[in-house]
Amino acid sequence: MAKRGARRSAADPTEGPCPCGSGLPYADCCGPIHRGVAAAATAEALMRSRYSAFAVGDADYLLRSWHSTTRPPRLGLDPGTRWTRLEVLDADRGGLFDTEGTVAFRAHYREAGRPGTVAEHSRFVREDGRWVYLDALPG
């Protein structure tokens, strides 16, 4: 017999700390960027917001934050992938007064109970005044 309260539903990733690792609540960090009421101020902030979008399953935001020349027509996210941690390894340029920048990161996930990691060195540029993801550098 199961104990009362022993069964819990999966936590809502939009409640509690932001998946990007900032330490702020999602509602005060990447949430406003995802909803379009705030903009990412730097390339790193955009990369963190995109990681958080993967974590909360917001494919629409991922497409909106992708450069128009490299954006796929649609994006399907695997609901079986649980994004668990982001490590920002390096950021070059991409600041408040820059028009381009790069961010190297490792994103950790679990899929079918097994851990995995995605590593990328991403390029970001400004398009219509806002930061967008362009592509990944080879390597």
Side-chain angles (χ1 to χ4, degrees), residues 5-94:
R7 184 171 179 227
R8 294 182 183 202
S9 62
D12 180 350
T14 64
E15 297 197 12
C18 192
C20 81
S22 69
L24 296 171
Y26 172 81
D28 298 331
C29 189
C30 291
I33 298 170
H34 292 171
R35 291 191 316 273
V37 297
T42 65
E44 182 179 334
L46 181 73
M47 187 278 308
R48 287 178 174 278
S49 73
R50 287 177 56 82
Y51 170 84
S52 290
F54 276 102
V56 302
D58 191 345
D60 290 340
Y61 173 75
L62 289 165
L63 289 171
R64 284 193 316 273
S65 62
W66 213 310
H67 194 275
S68 61
T69 63
T70 57
R71 178 188 315 127
R74 60 190 140 311
L75 182 64
L77 301 179
D78 184 350
T81 302
R82 187 172 59 89
W83 295 95
T84 58
R85 183 169 56 99
L86 174 66
E87 291 178 85
V88 176
L89 305 173
D90 187 40
D92 183 37
R93 299 180 20 223

Side-chain angles (χ1 to χ4, degrees), residues 126-138:
R126 288 193 190 262
E127 183 176 51
D128 298 327
R130 64 184 181 91
W131 285 109
V132 292
Y133 169 75
L134 181 61
D135 59 14
L137 292 169

